[in-house]
Amino acid sequence: MAVPEGGAPAGPEVGLQRMGRGKSDRVLWQRRRLASRSGKDSRRQGRPGDWYWEAYLERAQKRYRERSVKRRVKGAESESPDEAEWTFPLERKAKLHSIPRVKETRDSDGETSGIFKVPKQQPRRPKIRFSLAPKLSRRWSQWSAAGTRPRGSVINELAKMGDPDLLEMVEQEGKRSSRDITYSIQMSEFQKREQSKDSVFFRDGIRQIDFVLSYVDDIKKDSDLKAERRKEFELNLRKTGLELEVEDKRDSEDGRTYFVKIHAPWEVLVTYAEVLGIKMPIKESDIPRPENNPLRYMLGPVKLPQEVRFPRPEYFTAQFSRHRQELFLIEDEATFFPSSSRNRIVYYILSRCPFGIEDGKKRFGIERLLTSNTYSSAYPLHDGQYWKPAEPPNIVNERYILYQNWARFSYFYKEQPLDLIKNYFGEKIGIYFVFLGFYTEMLLIAAAVGLACLIYGILSMDANESSTEICDPEIGGQMIMCPLCDQVCDYWRLNSTCLTSKLSHLFDNESTVFFAIFMGIWVTLFLEFWKQRQARLEYEWDLVDFEEEQQQLQLRPEFEAMCKHRKMNPVTKEMEPYMPLWNRIPWYFLSGATVTFWMALVVSSMVAVIVYRLSVFATFASFMESEASLQHVKVYFTPQLATSLSGSCLNFMVILMLNFFYEKISAWITKMEIPRTYQEYESSLTLKMFLFQFVNYYSSCFYVAFFKGKFVGYPGKYTYLFNVWRSEECDPGGCLIELTTQLTIIMTGKQIFGNIKEAIYPLVFNWWRRRKARTNSEKLYSRWEQDHDLETFGQLGLFYEYLETVIQFGFVTLFVASFPLAPLLALLNNIIEIRVDAWKLTTQYRRPVAAKAHSIGVWQDILYGMAVVSVATNAFIVAFTSDIIPRLVYYYAYSTNTTHPFKGYVNNSLSVFLIADFPNHTAPSEKRDFTTCRYRDYRHPPEDDEHKYLHNMQFWHVLAAKMTFIIVMEHIVFLVKFLLAWMIPDVPKDVEERIKREKLMTVKILHDFELKKLKENLGINSEVFSKQVLMEESKAQLAKSTI
């Protein structure tokens, strides 16, 4: 029984009024019963029930108007809210059968009249929201048999007007259908759960989920503000055309998280595809793919299947226009835009959608909402589970294809599916893997040459005259060397460094010069060929006319919050936040001071490691001398080697600790600078991080290569660090073996630690996050919850990947003359790195928002700078750290043995010192029966009183040769670099031709389309129009030829 809002149920007066109705009313009710009994006759007579219900509706409206005027019910003020309004049949099933029943009484004429048994305090009549149920009442079935079934609009109108006779029908229908409705609801909920467990669609199974927002409805003091922000934000999202569907927290696994699923309909996609200038296919390309590799038959095992390498055919493309949709190859609107483009479009809207006005400023953007914890996360969905293909109705699971053909470690020798990576993750991430793969391919050449140099060193080890003389008991065993530290250290014999001298020859031989020059040329070839690869990539991925991504140029919320001034933007002619330079200067000074302080801290830590080496060396030396059990180990494990290994390991641990803390400090300092855009933020952070990492990782290598053993002095007049610790000396064979040890430990340790961290860190965090939920099985909860529990890649995810690669590039190029195996170690690391990065992106991280990029950005400039510096560092390493230049000077200027020119070199390179000239505080405590000792330098002997212990002429000859070698090597390498850069074009010729061909075809297709559209609009005869066009073109050509 239903009345409009504010009405009351029919009381005794209304019932008596109904009992006193005229005869015409009774006739109408009798006709109603007769019509329900004679359905067949009714159908034969052209469905008179329709006329009857129209007449009944008119009569009911008249009665409603009469009751609304005469209704007077006492006690209506004390109505119960629970009984005042109820909804049928879905919302309030529990209250369905508690409605007061109608008491049937018979009047004098024997007709049944519905009179309510009115309680003492009569409640407000319940409002019925009528809806058709699966199983209907007996009266409904009678109407159906009679062919006079009332239309839904009639029933709803009657319900709105509160016709009392409908209550009985609704009650009977509710009794029969409540169980069916409950069952249907349970079945629909079950089907929804089954369908949405791994579905990327809304509950209807049609609309694809393009983005997901999540939040936890907390009860903190600002919860109301956050709720209001979310309400306004989601309302504005709907105004932009996006469709939203909310998953209640009761349906989530943790019982706390709400999920807002976002779908971009076709109208939104086409609008913002035009705004973003997304290029879409207009015609399949007739240009064949390049297959000019002569080794393609030999490289068959490393190739992927054709459908994985090229998942889509090549097309001629044009910037999408919603007004020229007929131009584009739109077969299916649901799959026309790839998922990466869809989530990029949605993120573009999210980043610009306003959510209110606070402090007089308009606030907008999902990033600000994430920063304020209004939303806990925002991410696009993966296509499905990575371990199984998609099942209908889901789309093709590209995540599964990537995992099977890219992220598995058993495919380490296979090429990468670059087009598929670009389609799934976007161009910015795709170009990183292209760069890493190209860098790894180029390392194959450098690793092969470096390995050949090492093999040469192994083969020529026995023929090395220097190590032979050092190991000879009659030569090296008879040379008494001066103590390596004061008082504690004793004299020692040269042949005790026999093993070290042989190992040093592996990396310090004639091939060292060749490899240093080769790596200088290799760096140039790598960078020039990368420019070509990048140009080819721009063509293949439609990035030729690329403009900087607008997300990178968007104002940061932190900048807007801190700005108190505004000025006119000369481009957009809009008022924008503005921060004067004088407001930023203090933060710039703080930033510079902080970076300088941390770089000084790195240098201080390096000095501390040097002090450790100096203080520990004496301990190692005295311990090995005193322990008789270590005498046989001393041949292989000298005090110098023990100090070098322990010092390198300690230095590596210090590097890792400083790096961990500086990452936090640099991010904080960069925020304090208040960069205007995300691009400025990333550039500032890149500069700080690279400067620090450069100093942190390479400072110890620079020390060993260019400072250790160069400013030692000579016995009796050594130099001291802080007037306490004596400066370190190099091994008689040179410092190159120590530099090699340092490089091996730092480079190998960093790569192993980095790969373990990248693999274990997200795995452990994801496991712990799933463990905190109700279940830790990924197979039991929905697609958006699975992705929600994954680790976030973040906006700086690629930044750290590039930083790691560039630091490795520095190890490969800056000090490669001392360690020919560096390219090989980098090659092995990169093979693992590619698969680790692929595995974590595919399985352990949320899907990043797709973004465009046409190059590796500022990192390319850093690589060019390191390439130039590497030429100088390798030249200095060969000249000052290696022993090759002194040996060549001896060979050409001082050797007297024509048969064996290097014979006598060891004796020539060691000077003589008179033990009696030792100061008392430096001489060993024990007295010896020999009068002189040897040390590595070119000085006059003690017998020459006039030039005693001064540098001799050979020292200056060697120094001049070293400087000459540096100048000659640098000029040769730079000349070759410039020649190669000039000879190798930045854009390959075939790519230029393809770009021209595509532009020509695109213009032609657009012209033909517009011409056809114009003819259709004007209704011109195509033959006549084409003749006119040909005539005009011939006239234009004739005019050109005449000119």
Side-chain angles (χ1 to χ4, degrees), residues 137-287:
S137 63
R138 176 179 57 84
R139 184 170 297 181
W140 185 269
S141 61
Q142 290 173 354
W143 284 332
S144 178
T148 58
R149 177 182 299 177
R151 289 185 291 273
S153 60
V154 176
I155 295 295
N156 288 331
E157 290 294 330
L158 294 174
K160 289 177 183 178
M161 292 183 297
D163 185 71
D165 295 313
L166 287 176
L167 182 60
E168 182 181 358
M169 180 182 67
V170 171
E171 265 194 277
Q172 293 175 1
E173 182 182 351
K175 290 179 181 179
R176 294 191 176 190
S177 61
S178 59
R179 292 190 301 270
D180 300 325
I181 293 170
T182 304
Y183 175 75
S184 65
I185 292 173
Q186 291 174 350
M187 286 300 295
S188 65
E189 288 293 322
F190 174 76
Q191 291 172 358
K192 184 194 78 173
R193 289 195 300 269
E194 283 297 306
Q195 177 231 335
S196 65
K197 182 178 69 174
D198 198 44
S199 173
V200 292
F201 294 93
F202 277 16
R203 297 189 193 104
D204 56 17
I206 299 174
R207 292 172 293 172
Q208 181 181 345
I209 301 172
D210 298 313
F211 226 87
V212 176
L213 308 177
S214 68
Y215 64 92
V216 177
D217 195 8
D218 52 17
I219 55 174
K220 295 181 180 178
K221 60 180 181 180
D222 56 348
S223 60
D224 294 338
L225 176 61
K226 292 180 180 178
E228 185 63 29
R229 285 175 177 173
R230 286 192 293 265
K231 180 180 177 182
E232 185 69 20
F233 186 70
E234 293 171 15
L235 177 62
N236 290 329
L237 287 179
R238 288 189 171 94
K239 289 180 181 179
T240 62
L242 296 178
E243 297 175 1
L244 277 60
E245 187 176 77
V246 181
E247 292 289 333
D248 193 82
K249 65 180 181 181
R250 291 171 295 182
D251 296 328
S252 64
E253 287 299 312
D254 59 3
R256 300 171 56 247
T257 307
Y258 292 87
F259 292 94
V260 181
K261 299 176 289 185
I262 302 174
H263 167 74
W266 175 255
E267 293 76 13
V268 174
L269 293 175
V270 297
T271 301
Y272 283 93
E274 184 175 3
V275 171
L276 294 175
I278 297 177
K279 291 185 176 182
M280 300 306 293
I282 56 177
K283 182 183 178 182
E284 190 166 348
S285 175
D286 57 0
I287 306 174

Side-chain angles (χ1 to χ4, degrees), residues 379-399:
Y379 54 93
L381 287 182
H382 281 292
D383 280 355
Q385 293 169 333
Y386 65 85
W387 64 79
K388 68 177 183 180
E391 299 176 357
N394 288 0
I395 57 178
V396 177
N397 189 353
E398 292 183 343
R399 185 188 188 192

Side-chain angles (χ1 to χ4, degrees), residues 370-585:
L370 292 173
T371 304
S372 62
N373 292 323
T374 304
Y375 287 101
S376 58
S377 61
Y379 54 93
L381 287 182
H382 281 292
D383 280 355
Q385 293 169 333
Y386 65 85
W387 64 79
K388 68 177 183 180
E391 299 176 357
N394 288 0
I395 57 178
V396 177
N397 189 353
E398 292 183 343
R399 185 188 188 192
Y400 170 76
I401 300 173
L402 284 171
Y403 177 75
Q404 291 294 320
N405 298 278
W406 181 49
R408 292 193 297 171
F409 290 95
S410 58
Y411 273 44
F412 71 92
Y413 61 95
K414 293 281 189 180
E415 64 176 341
Q416 299 184 82
L418 299 175
D419 285 353
L420 197 60
I421 297 170
K422 182 263 297 183
N423 294 339
Y424 192 73
F425 292 110
E427 288 82 357
K428 193 171 185 179
I429 290 179
I431 204 168
Y432 162 73
F433 283 102
V434 175
F435 170 74
L436 188 58
F438 181 80
Y439 172 47
T440 305
E441 291 173 7
M442 291 294 292
L443 280 174
L444 279 169
I445 303 171
V449 176
L451 188 61
C453 292
L454 180 67
I455 293 174
Y456 171 80
I458 294 173
L459 297 178
S460 61
M461 184 183 295
D462 294 334
N464 180 31
E465 195 67 38
S466 298
S467 60
T468 301
E469 289 184 357
I470 290 174
C471 296
D472 190 352
E474 299 299 325
I475 303 177
Q478 300 301 318
M479 292 183 180
I480 307 298
M481 304 299 294
C482 296
L484 296 174
C485 60
D486 295 340
Q487 292 184 336
V488 180
C489 297
D490 201 356
Y491 301 97
W492 53 285
R493 298 185 182 274
L494 182 61
N495 64 347
S496 62
T497 61
C498 175
L499 180 61
T500 306
S501 64
K502 289 183 177 181
L503 291 176
S504 179
H505 177 73
L506 295 177
F507 308 104
D508 187 6
N509 52 63
E510 291 78 8
S511 65
T512 302
V513 179
F514 164 76
F515 192 60
I517 296 174
F518 168 80
M519 287 304 295
I521 299 172
W522 175 87
V523 170
T524 304
L525 290 173
F526 165 68
L527 293 175
E528 292 302 319
F529 285 145
W530 167 245
K531 284 196 293 187
Q532 285 199 342
R533 182 72 181 93
Q534 201 165 248
R536 190 180 299 277
L537 202 68
E538 288 181 11
Y539 162 73
E540 292 174 352
W541 288 1
D542 284 329
L543 300 171
V544 176
D545 301 323
F546 172 78
E547 294 182 2
E548 194 65 40
E549 192 79 334
Q550 294 187 14
Q551 275 89 341
Q552 289 294 99
L553 301 177
Q554 184 183 354
L555 295 180
R556 297 176 66 245
E558 294 85 353
F559 177 81
E560 294 183 79
M562 295 293 292
C563 286
K564 298 180 180 179
H565 304 274
R566 303 178 76 84
K567 75 172 185 177
M568 179 73 71
N569 187 318
V571 179
T572 62
K573 299 300 181 182
E574 295 179 356
M575 298 298 292
E576 288 186 352
Y578 167 72
M579 180 170 289
L581 180 62
W582 55 270
N583 280 349
R584 293 191 181 192
I585 287 178

Side-chain angles (χ1 to χ4, degrees), residues 266 280-284 312-313 315 320 325-337:
W266 175 255
M280 300 306 293
I282 56 177
K283 182 183 178 182
E284 190 166 348
R312 296 182 178 90
Y315 295 97
F320 188 82
Q325 296 186 29
E326 303 86 357
L327 174 66
F328 298 90
L329 302 178
I330 305 175
E331 297 179 359
D332 183 6
E333 292 182 355
T335 58
F336 178 67
F337 290 101

Side-chain angles (χ1 to χ4, degrees), residues 602 604-616 620 642-658 696 700 741-742 745-746:
V602 172
S604 302
S605 66
M606 184 190 68
V607 173
V609 173
I610 294 172
V611 170
Y612 161 82
R613 292 158 66 107
L614 294 174
S615 58
V616 169
F620 275 127
T643 304
S644 178
L645 287 174
S646 60
S648 299
C649 293
L650 178 63
N651 186 51
F652 174 66
M653 289 187 287
V654 171
I655 286 172
L656 292 181
M657 287 189 293
L658 290 176
N696 195 24
S700 59
T741 305
Q742 187 86 0
I745 291 176
I746 294 178

